[in-house]
């Protein structure tokens, strides 16, 4: 914000000085009963002191959230960013906050913003997807594809690239008809190859408000990379209404990505441990699928009910589904 001159930010951060929970003592060999009683008594006293200090610290958080998320405070701002928030934040009235965004405000979520309010369907509807694990870990390099190369929010990203970061998959509450996916995992070139679409960045309209989400950002190196800095800035400016790019959902694009993922998983299952052979077969099948989609634009979306079955099926059930999907593509 400072470097671009486009916006300023006020921060609501965890207060410093959170107390550390005392370690429960373990009785060592040769410890007398009297010494052990003293250790236990000290632990109980330390635990009571910790609980009192933790309660005071938590009260400070609740007071800070109550002030920041009051309508009086929110109305001073154009939007809110959730930057790697996690869990159920102590927002006093979540429904009121969501209504504030719907009224024409901005919501931007980065990385663990999708691992926040996991039990809330209303929050899922805002952010678009809820965390369901990350088989693609922070220390590994993963493959990505830009689904909308002409979109302003992803103009800084190559159409296909590899990057090291922690990438989330989302639970079954993700609704393709709600969002416009801009970046996905390139499943044919990823390890592991899972039979479902993994969106990475998307936008959506939310009432009269705008939502921008990007999963990138677990690793510090991602924040220091210019192409991601430009990605974040472009998304924030779009969400603020300072730039115009399409936000209409793209379920057909997502259906194609889902089909590619299932074909990649089918190729991996057939190739066993031969990673290179699995990738080559995935590329062959995906090329055939794209030719089929070009000839029949609704093909991938028509396949979606079958594709969704693969996620819930066991290993044996997936094999049968893979055979049907590959058969349909190979026809």
């Amino acid at each position: 914000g400072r470097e671009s001159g486009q916006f300023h930010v006020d921060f609501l951060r965890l207060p410093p000085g959170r107390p550390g929970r005392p370690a429960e003592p373990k009785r060592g060999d040769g410890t007398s009963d009297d010494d052990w009683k003293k250790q236990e008594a000290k632990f109980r006293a330390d635990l009571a002191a910790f609980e009192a200090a933790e309660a005071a610290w938590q009260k400070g958080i609740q007071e800070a959230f109550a002030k920041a998320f009051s309508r009086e405070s929110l109305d001073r701002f154009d939007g809110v960013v959730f930057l790697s928030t996690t869990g159920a934040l102590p927002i006093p009235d979540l429904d009121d906050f969501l209504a504030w965004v719907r009224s024409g405000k901005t919501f931007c979520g980065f990385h663990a913003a999708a691992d926040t309010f996991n039990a809330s369907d209303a929050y899922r509807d805002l952010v678009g997807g809820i965390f369901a694990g990350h088989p693609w870990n922070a220390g590994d390099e993963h493959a990505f594809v830009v689904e909308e190369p002409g979109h302003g929010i992803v103009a800084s990203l190559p159409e296909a690239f590899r990057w090291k970061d922690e990438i989330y998959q989302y639970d079954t509450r993700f609704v393709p008809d709600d969002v416009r996916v801009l970046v996905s995992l390139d499943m044919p070139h990823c390890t592991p190859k899972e039979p479902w679409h993994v969106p990475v960045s998307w936008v959506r309209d939310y009432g009269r408000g705008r939502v921008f989400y990007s999963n990138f950002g677990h690793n510090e190196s991602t924040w220091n990379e210019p192409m991601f800095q430009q990605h974040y800035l472009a998304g924030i400016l779009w969400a603020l209404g300072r730039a115009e790019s399409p936000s209409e959902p793209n379920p057909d694009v997502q259906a194609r990505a889902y089909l590619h993922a299932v074909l990649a998983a089918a190729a991996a299952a057939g190739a066993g441990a031969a990673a290179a052979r699995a990738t080559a077969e995935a590329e062959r099948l995906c090329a055939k699928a794209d030719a089929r989609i070009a000839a029949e634009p609704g093909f991938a979306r028509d396949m979606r009910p079958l594709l969704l079955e693969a996620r819930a099926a066991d290993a044996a059930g997936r094999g049968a589904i893979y055979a049907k999907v590959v058969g349909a593509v190979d026809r």
Side-chain angles (χ1 to χ4, degrees):
R2 284 194 299 268
E3 291 176 3
S4 69
Q6 295 286 343
F7 56 87
H8 76 273
V9 177
D10 283 0
F11 290 94
L12 176 61
R13 289 172 165 159
L14 291 180
R18 184 174 190 177
R21 185 181 183 89
E24 190 169 353
K26 295 182 180 179
R27 187 166 183 168
D29 294 340
T31 303
S32 68
D33 288 346
D34 285 344
D35 284 345
W36 179 240
K37 287 179 182 178
K38 291 176 183 177
Q39 290 180 36
E40 287 186 312
K42 182 178 185 306
F43 171 70
R44 287 193 295 271
D46 290 346
L47 184 61
F50 159 76
E51 289 173 345
E54 174 72 5
W57 189 83
Q58 291 287 350
K59 183 180 179 182
I61 292 177
Q62 291 166 0
E63 290 173 348
F65 268 86
K67 180 179 179 180
F69 283 87
S70 69
R71 269 302 178 107
E72 181 181 4
S73 292
L74 285 174
D75 285 343
R76 295 172 51 226
F77 295 94
D78 295 315
V80 169
V81 176
F82 280 15
L83 173 55
S84 283
T85 50
T86 304
L89 305 179
I91 294 175
D93 189 337
L94 179 59
D95 288 339
D96 185 64
F97 169 64
L98 299 178
W100 177 80
V101 179
R102 279 196 300 271
S103 73
K105 299 295 186 174
T106 290
F107 178 84
C108 297
F110 294 112
H111 195 59
D115 192 19
T116 301
F117 290 115
N118 300 50
S120 171
D121 287 339
Y123 179 78
R124 194 290 317 162
D125 184 51
L126 168 74
V127 73
I130 293 295
F131 169 85
H134 52 81
W136 304 277
N137 292 314
D140 299 323
E141 189 180 77
H142 313 296
F144 302 92
V145 61
V146 172
E147 303 284 9
E148 299 271 0
H151 200 284
I153 293 177
V154 290
S156 64
L157 303 178
E159 289 190 27
F161 62 98
R162 302 188 67 85
W163 190 254
K164 187 181 289 187
D165 211 334
E166 180 183 271
I167 301 301
Y168 290 173
Q169 61 190 15
Y170 302 93
D171 70 17
T172 54
R173 288 178 289 174
F174 185 89
V175 180
D177 290 333
D178 284 353
V179 301
R180 189 180 191 94
V181 171
L182 306 178
V183 183
S184 302
L185 270 185
D186 184 5
M187 198 66 75
H189 300 101
C190 280
T191 301
K193 301 183 195 307
E194 297 289 3
W196 47 81
H197 176 214
V198 178
V200 177
S201 181
W202 59 77
V203 292
R204 67 161 305 181
D205 294 321
Y206 185 72
R208 290 188 288 116
R210 288 181 168 188
V211 174
F212 163 58
Y213 174 77
S214 184
N215 181 203
F216 294 114
H218 178 89
N219 293 350
E220 184 176 354
S221 57
T222 302
W223 291 96
N224 294 325
E225 172 59 42
M227 72 176 184
F228 290 111
Q229 292 174 356
Q230 289 300 311
H231 168 55
Y232 306 143
L233 177 60
I236 291 170
L237 294 181
W238 173 84
L240 286 169
R242 311 274 179 80
E244 292 303 323
S245 291
S247 57
E248 296 81 5
N250 55 357
D252 287 324
V253 169
Q254 297 175 59
R256 172 182 176 269
Y258 213 124
L259 178 56
H260 279 201
V262 173
L263 291 171
R277 190 164 72 244
T279 298
E281 176 63 3
E283 289 173 345
R284 183 190 74 82
L285 290 171
C286 289
K288 291 202 71 172
D290 287 346
R292 187 73 181 270
I293 292 169
E296 303 173 41
F299 176 72
R301 186 184 272 206
D302 291 343
M303 293 284 291
R304 186 173 173 81
L306 179 61
L307 304 178
L308 291 172
E309 292 179 19
R311 184 162 187 171
D314 57 19
R318 282 185 182 176
I321 294 167
Y322 292 160
K324 290 180 182 178
V325 173
V326 171
V329 169
D330 262 338
R331 274 204 302 272

